Amino acid sequence: MRENGAVMAELLSIILAAGEGTRMRSATPKVLHPVGGLPVINHVLRTSIAAGASIAVVVGPDHAAVEAAVAGMAPGATMSKQVDRLGTAHAVRQAASSYSTAKGNVIVLYADTPLVTANTIADIAARLDAGADMVVVGFRPVDPTGYGRLLTADGRLLAIREHRDASEPERAIGLVNSGIMGFRAETLRAVIDRIGNSNAKGEYYLTDAVELANADGKRVDFVEANADEVIGVDDRSKLAQAEATFQEFRRDEFMKAGVTLRDPGSVYFSWDTEIGRDVTIFPNVVFGPGVRIADNVEIRAFCDIEDAVIGSGATIGPFARIRGGAELGPDVHLGNFVEVKKSKIGAGTKAGHLSYLGDAEIGSKVNIGAGTITCNYDGVNKDKTVIGDNVFIGSHASLVAPVSIGSGAYTASGSVITEDVPADAVAFGRARQVNKPGYAPKLREKALAKEAAKGKA
Ligand code: UD1
């Protein structure tokens, strides 16, 4: 792998995911809770992949769902189980089959730290390549209670003291261990099996690697990361914090890339949202996973969009919901209270008001009148509605699928369309109107007589 012209050493990323995560109080393993619509552990996997690392994950004994998530995101990853949770060094040892033959560098990451960037990993790798034997990523939390403190001198890291084992002066140190550490592979192999468990918790602490490496005359460096980047998601409040930070990152990224956010704090993105240039997004818009938006699109307030592709020049909302594999062509207009599910809509087609378009294939330059509903579900099956180009669907239509409407056809307002409409035909699917001249006063008299009869009773 090459970066900035330099050849970087091979990289192995060991991701620790065996913790129980009891503080989440959840039936779902903590590393599967989503941030930006993606499970926390998948963020760490993606970042490792982006950094060019091969991956070894250490999972708990009853974590089949975690294993499935890993296999889905990083099919090449090796997985090992930590049956007894005896500490972070013990967890790393479970990945021995991966690091015993590793060349180059090894990075240990926690599966519950989703926002760590590929840049930070690259920084660690670069320091190792430049001569460090071990590098620890530190940060300065608002409250360092509970974290391992970094004991440093002359720009080097001497030791990490876990909170429970630290003296009062050591506890006063604000720079703490994020848990992210890089090793030359041979340094990791030299120290990992010598780590003991004589400490306050009786666990095998990976942090003891620092003192052992120093005692071997190795060079142990530390780098300082932004506290936001190394936040560990171990309860719901940290999950919310990680989500907030993730959203901040993404909003910033989109604004830098040419997207106008009228009220950035009220727009929520997913990890995989893709947006072109000169797109304007009004307040209170939420993007679920799987959204791709081309250039020059306007999304007005209060839209919820997921699993959808939106073509250039489209105008969406306010109050539109688009989902389930929707594909909107260029210059489509969807107005207020329009829902589109698993439908293809051609260029320049308009559905301005109050419609449900599900399982439909709609051509270009179609006018979908207000209140049009595709009746796609009979209680068992989902059926398709096909509408050709240049069709005019009059307001308040029920299009009962399976049904197809040929190009250039009209359907009269208020129609229930149950049969196919040929191209260029006009379809009336409603009772014909009957006018009875002069009948209204008689109707009124009848009504008044009924009221009077009630009064007597
Ligand atoms: C650890 C560090 C501490 C650091 C803090 C940052 C040690 C001894 N301490 O403390 O210096 O400031 O993280 O959050 O390393 N895990 C396993 N198996 C185990 C134990 C842990 O897989 O037996 C995994 C967990 O799933 C988690 C990570 O290791 O992803 C950290 O575990 P945790 O218990 O949160 O570590 P701390 O004791 O908080």
Side-chain angles (χ1 to χ4, degrees), residues 318-322 333-340 351-357:
F319 297 100
R321 180 168 188 218
I322 310 174
H333 168 66
L334 302 184
N336 44 279
F337 305 106
V338 172
E339 176 177 357
V340 176
H353 339 258
L354 301 156
S355 284
Y356 171 61
L357 304 172

Side-chain angles (χ1 to χ4, degrees), residues 1-4 8 11 13 42-53 55 107 109 113-127 137 180 223 225 229-230 249 253:
M1 182 186 24
R2 267 166 198 281
E3 190 155 295
N4 301 332
M8 290 171 69
L11 190 61
S13 162
N42 288 27
H43 284 272
V44 184
L45 293 166
R46 274 188 86 218
T47 308
S48 293
I49 292 166
I55 297 169
I107 296 211
L109 297 162
T113 307
L115 303 184
V116 60
T117 62
N119 273 348
T120 295
I121 296 180
D123 273 2
I124 299 170
R127 274 181 179 257
V137 178
I180 299 161
V223 293
E229 184 188 332
V230 292
F249 285 173
E253 205 181 303

Side-chain angles (χ1 to χ4, degrees), residues 126-201:
R127 274 181 179 257
L128 293 167
D129 287 349
D133 297 293
M134 201 182 152
V135 180
V136 170
V137 178
F139 72 107
R140 294 179 190 275
V142 179
D143 176 9
T145 308
Y147 291 103
R149 307 302 203 279
L150 300 196
L151 313 188
T152 63
D154 305 326
R156 292 284 151 79
L157 182 61
L158 306 179
I160 301 175
R161 193 77 68 238
E162 287 306 298
H163 183 89
R164 289 181 193 222
D165 304 296
S167 64
E168 275 313 311
E170 287 168 343
R171 284 185 181 182
I173 296 169
L175 183 62
V176 307
N177 173 26
S178 69
I180 299 161
M181 291 183 194
F183 299 82
R184 298 286 310 157
E186 63 270 14
T187 305
L188 177 64
R189 285 191 288 266
V191 297
I192 190 76
D193 291 327
R194 285 152 57 199
I195 292 174
N197 66 348
S198 46
N199 51 53
K201 251 172 139 182

